[in-house]
Amino acid sequence: MKAQALMISVMLASPAFAANFGSTEPPKTTPPTTATVTPPKPAATPLPSGPQVTGLFRIVKPDGSTVIAQTPIGTSTSVINVINVATSDAFLTSGGKCAFNVKYDEVSGVAATNTTNRLFSNDTLIAQNTKIDLAANVLKTIWTQPYLVPGQNNVKIVINADSATPSVGWVRVNVSGTCGAAATTTPPTTTPPKTEPPKTTPPVVTPPPPPPVVKFAPGSAEWNNLYNAFGYSNYGVTQLKGKNFGRYTELVKFNADVTVVVNAKVVDQPTYNALMTRWNSFVMDPAFQAAMKAIVPTSDKK
């Protein structure tokens, strides 16, 4: 009991407890101090941009409102949207090219005057629109008539092309058909008729004239050789007659032939060669040599 009395007396001695003990009013509290928060400033509004490509690339009929095919214009070449049209959709075909009515849009954040737009297909200029004026933030539709080729056309739309920062968009237009090009046909293979080569008479070949015959006359070395053969054969025919020389008849014949030449005082080379060959056969014959030695007088005295 003493302990409880002591605890009560301590509690009563506490100012906070004493102020609220037996009171029905809630205790007073002091609100916490709060710091002043300054809201962030709004981000700066980007400056208005110049002409930009936007919207759909549309191929339309000549009335300008009936759409044949359309697709959004992309600004990246990573993915290019595709339109498929036919030669029959063109309003004009010529020489393998199709002309189409095309519409596309552009918009500018600021007013722009005297701008130029160009369209390219596979890097070839196919359309150009000049002196284009744009009001700020007002959509403008451009109507042009480019020529496309059969097959794939990678069309690049360049807005405000002559500026430092043109806007570029891309679409791909596939054109089926030939666009009026003449169809390529392979001509049939034909075998040419066989023709006999013309018969020609071989030309008459005239042989070249024979070389001039070489002749020897008195005074030449050849004539001197021949004349010596003539002299010795004369002597042999006279002195060997009846001496039983085995080739005496042949010697007589040689002497007669060489005498004819000597009397003519000229001899051609073939005749000269033949006569000298015959004479040399005697000169080299041991029997003729012995016979001639026997009849030729010598200066020896016995």
Side-chain angles (χ1 to χ4, degrees), residues 1 9 25 28 38 46 63 86-87 149 166 169 174 186 228 283 292:
M1 292 295 291
S9 63
E25 294 181 4
K28 295 181 179 180
T38 303
D63 60 14
T87 297
V149 296
N174 295 326
T186 303
N228 286 336
V283 172
M292 291 297 287

Side-chain angles (χ1 to χ4, degrees), residues 203-220:
V204 177
V205 179
T206 303
V213 178
V214 178
K215 295 183 179 182
F216 306 116
S220 65

Side-chain angles (χ1 to χ4, degrees), residues 52-290:
Q52 301 291 312
V53 66
T54 187
L56 302 173
F57 186 91
R58 308 180 293 281
I59 294 180
V60 299
K61 290 188 175 181
D63 60 14
S65 58
T66 304
V67 176
I68 298 172
Q70 63 184 5
T71 190
I73 299 173
T75 56
S76 171
T77 57
S78 58
V79 178
I80 301 179
N81 296 323
V82 178
I83 290 178
N84 295 309
V85 292
T87 297
S88 58
D89 296 322
F91 71 88
L92 179 65
T93 60
S94 176
K97 293 183 179 180
C98 289
F100 293 93
N101 287 294
V102 168
K103 283 186 172 182
Y104 62 90
D105 302 317
E106 62 175 310
V107 67
S108 178
V110 295
T113 60
N114 199 28
T115 65
T116 298
N117 296 348
R118 296 188 180 98
L119 268 64
F120 297 85
S121 174
N122 303 331
D123 296 326
T124 299
L125 181 66
I126 56 173
Q128 177 171 276
N129 297 86
T130 61
K131 301 184 183 302
I132 303 171
D133 297 334
L134 296 98
N137 300 314
V138 177
L139 188 72
K140 189 174 187 68
T141 298
I142 306 299
W143 188 348
T144 187
Q145 295 175 327
Y147 277 90
L148 301 178
V149 296
Q152 187 179 94
N153 295 264
N154 292 315
V155 178
K156 179 170 67 172
I157 305 102
V158 184
I159 305 299
N160 200 14
D162 293 332
S163 70
T165 56
S167 172
V168 178
W170 293 89
V171 295
R172 179 171 295 145
V173 182
N174 295 326
V175 181
S176 63
T178 63
C179 292
T184 303
T185 58
T186 303
T189 303
T190 57
T191 303
K194 293 183 179 180
T195 56
E196 295 292 335
K199 295 181 179 180
T200 57
T201 303
V204 177
V205 179
T206 303
V213 178
V214 178
K215 295 183 179 182
F216 306 116
S220 65
E222 290 80 6
W223 184 264
N224 292 337
N225 293 335
L226 188 68
Y227 199 82
N228 286 336
F230 165 69
Y232 278 108
S233 66
N234 267 343
Y235 186 78
V237 168
T238 302
Q239 298 298 325
L240 293 177
K241 186 177 181 180
K243 297 290 194 298
N244 296 322
F245 174 56
R247 296 179 62 192
Y248 181 77
T249 302
E250 187 180 347
L251 180 63
V252 172
K253 179 67 172 64
F254 170 78
N255 181 252
D257 292 340
V258 76
T259 300
V260 172
V261 171
V262 170
N263 290 337
K265 299 188 183 305
V266 66
V267 61
D268 58 62
Q269 188 166 14
T271 302
Y272 168 81
N273 292 341
L275 289 173
M276 291 306 297
T277 299
R278 290 166 65 189
W279 174 244
N280 287 334
S281 71
F282 286 104
V283 172
M284 302 301 294
D285 185 356
F288 180 73
Q289 294 175 6

